[in-house]
Amino acid sequence: MRLGTIGALLGWLFLFLSVVLLIPIAFSIYYDDGNWQFFVISSAIGFVLGGGLVWFCVSEPEIGHREGFAIVAFSWLAAAALGALPFYLSGAIPSYLNAYFESMSGFTTTGATILKRVEVLGPSLLFWRAFTQWLGGMGFIVLSLAILPILGIGGMQLFRAEMPGPTKDRITPRIQDTARILWSVYVLFTAVETVLLMLAGMSFFDAICHAFCTLATGGFSTRTDSIAAFHNPWIDLIVIVFIIIAGINFSLHFRLLSGNWKTFGRSEELRFYFGIGIVATIFVMLANILFATYDSWSDSLRYSTFQVWTILTGTGFHTANFDQWAPMCKITLVTLMFLGGMAGSTTGGIKQARILLFCKFTRMQIRKLIHPRAVEAIKLDNRKVPAEVIQSILGYLSLYAVVFVFATLIVTGQGLDMVTGSVAVIATLNNIGPGLAGVGPCENYAHIPGLSKGVLIMCMLAGRLELYTIIILFVPSYWKDVRYPRWRWSKA
Amino acid sequence: MRVVVIGAGEVGRHICQQLSAEDHEVVLIDRSADRLKRAERDLNILCIEGNGASARTLEQANITKTDLFIAVTDIDEVNLIACIMAKEYGVLRRVARARNEEYFSGVSPLNEYRLGIDLLINPDQVMAQEILRISEVSEAFEVVDFAHGEVVLVGYQVKEGNPVCGVTLADLRDLRGLYDFVIVAIVREGETIIPRGSDLIQAEDRIYLVVRRRDMAAVEDLFNLWSMVPKKVFIIGGGRVGFRVAKALEQQKVDVALVETDPIRCEHLAEHLDSAVVLNFDGLDAHDLLSEGIDTADLVVAVTDGDTTNILSSLLAKYHGAKKCITRISRPDFIPLLGKLGIDVALSPRLVAANMILRFVRRGAILSVASLLGSDAEVLEFVVSERWVNVDNPLRSIDFPMDTNLGAVVRKGKVIIPSGDTVLKAGDRLIIFSMKKAIPMVEQLLTS
């Protein structure tokens, strides 16, 4: 555990973000919303902090796997802190805690907001909100791996900590190339969706913001009523299609784009993902017809499809206030919140691969009762899944349950009612955004007490980095062999 | 014909024995002087000590004058290289044995055609195919396809109490009515009889019938036999053969249980099989076999490496009520004995592989050849060509050798039961049943 390495890399991250913070200025000037100076100040703060850290801390030549976790975790915490500054400085969000919540909700692609009406932010801040989601969706550390040579050594440790998942598929021998490919695919899809949304009638500003938040499965919209504000079935359709795309493993997209149809069709997880989404859609649609939520079955289909996919992938856009739906539909949506999209996608939640392997493990346990001496292998895509992977999935699920229970205890302990409290934890831990009751699609998170907000912020980050990267920071033995930074002026 | 065989293992020896009995000139090459000494003592062949893939040894064996080259050593690579060399020396036909499945994959850019090998034979694959062929019909111990599968030769064991016991063939011929079938041979106490109309069928006989495939069910009905695809199959021994059989059966949606002793091998099997249940215990563990329901199995395939395990587990399964068993045995001398013990089908991988090679060697006008297990008879299929001297002649004018029976004539998919007046026409397929010692004479007659 070398703090010097961590400090130096955090410094580089601040420098990177200080550059990124200049982008919204273009929108600020174009729309003349008077917020440009706040971005300049934030950028300057980032530059000074980053420059200082880079100057003072000497990075070790190699990043160990322990440092990897700390670098990623602290980078995210720091990025959210810096990303909150424009909201705070502009006075749009007067409390820094709320600004931090909004910023973390952005970077972790959660989409939970503390704003009653988002329109008060003005174009440049709305763009920044969407942009944080886009950066967080594929992971800004992966992005810096792709474009910055500084993270060359030990990049794999960071990649693993930021883009975890039950299964690993490297599409190139060098991790930098993989990062570059994933980001290219991501940028390509974002561009395509922006163009399509503009063709469907959105302005360029709305289109690019929504494209950012769809591909990142984030869910920040430029309107308080989210996608519902546009009253346009074509926009609904485009957004659904890209939500589904964002829930698919990006290395599969790359294979498809490079002409390899076969792996795409063969992926068991993909079939499982579509199977769950389609069955849930039909189920919720039938329930909505049964309880006569909508006048026509076509409305039922339209709203059920959108809500099911947006919740399943943890996007959090909405076209209907599903808090008003029948309890059966609501409980279905809450169950879907846990699932998430495919491993290697930008979605939150447990991930389909883990669910699928867990189902297979359960089936194997049952078969073992019938044939006590049978030897079985759990297979994914016709390849054997090693026992360690299954064990880590079981551990992951238990840890997930423990985190959920503890977070809910704290949140409900501060006076939130049972549905609001538990669903708020579920919606942040799985990076969904809107939940039910007090945090429903037409409500916001502003009324939640301070400590609970802190817990939910940690839930968002733990959910985005898939628990271990965050949980490990709370283990005392992780900090045992801390080595303080070697300052630049000290003799080696 | 001059034949060079390299590898004096079980398969090599069997081929040498067969070919030299058929009056071919056989040269056997092996590295072990010991094994050669044994072969030389038993067989009428020339033995040369040396590496089969070395040019010097091959030249010593007078390779340039050879018509057929068979490489059946234990080492795949030696077989392949020897065949490539043989091609360079101008040998007409080359046969190689290769165990490693990777050499068979169709995707490899270097397949057998490229290597100039006419027949690449994998003994495990051939064994598995044989087991699958026999598994199709529950009570038949032998099934051989002829005329593109339209006609089959089936062997049945006649059990005590079967209504056909004590019936003469002439009576059966009247009873037959709608269906065309011929009883071409009866094996009684290890002796093959080419039956006449007055012969009786007795209990414990093994009878061989030639029948059209679609009439098979009706004929089995007539003989009070039943036939069906097995629903539940136990495979004891998860070696390469067991694995192949399990894989093929599970693709036919059959319930497969595969028993294997080695836990590491079990892991491997479980990884590569889907619906088949891989069980990790000894094939002789009666308690575990029964608790997994071996007594209700339609078919038990015992293919471990140990003959004793195979025999004992087959007997155990049969005793508890399994319907049929196929047992692998590496010593073919014991095959006649196993029938007496109640084992339905005993297969020797060596015989199976050697027969496959012999079938290929005899290819020409003769389409396929099958050696019948536990008897010294073979079945040949022959297409009558326009140039054959006996075309358009009635059968009675053709001088068939002794110990040979024209089982059936297949003309345009119809089975004709031959009599003295039957006239053979061009394009007819003859299914001929012959004792092994008469085969050269049959070949001579057919190719004249």
Side-chain angles (χ1 to χ4, degrees), chain B residues 393-441:
Chain B
N393 286 358
L395 269 182
R396 87 162 47 85
S397 69
I398 303 172
D399 186 21
F400 269 92
M402 281 279 286
D403 295 319
T404 300
N405 186 8
L406 177 56
V409 178
V410 184
R411 184 173 295 161
K412 288 171 186 151
K414 213 170 143 43
V415 179
I416 298 168
I417 293 17
S419 68
D421 299 326
T422 309
V423 176
L424 297 179
K425 298 206 170 122
D428 284 357
R429 284 164 189 272
L430 310 182
I431 293 167
I432 296 163
F433 215 81
S434 168
M435 302 301 260
K436 274 186 180 145
K437 57 186 182 231
I439 284 179
M441 285 179 278

Side-chain angles (χ1 to χ4, degrees), chain A residues 320-327 330 333 419 435-443:
Chain A
N321 184 0
F322 51 79
D323 199 30
Q324 312 270 305
W325 285 4
K330 287 202 270 186
L333 291 182
V419 174
L436 296 174
V439 292
C442 294
E443 305 292 328

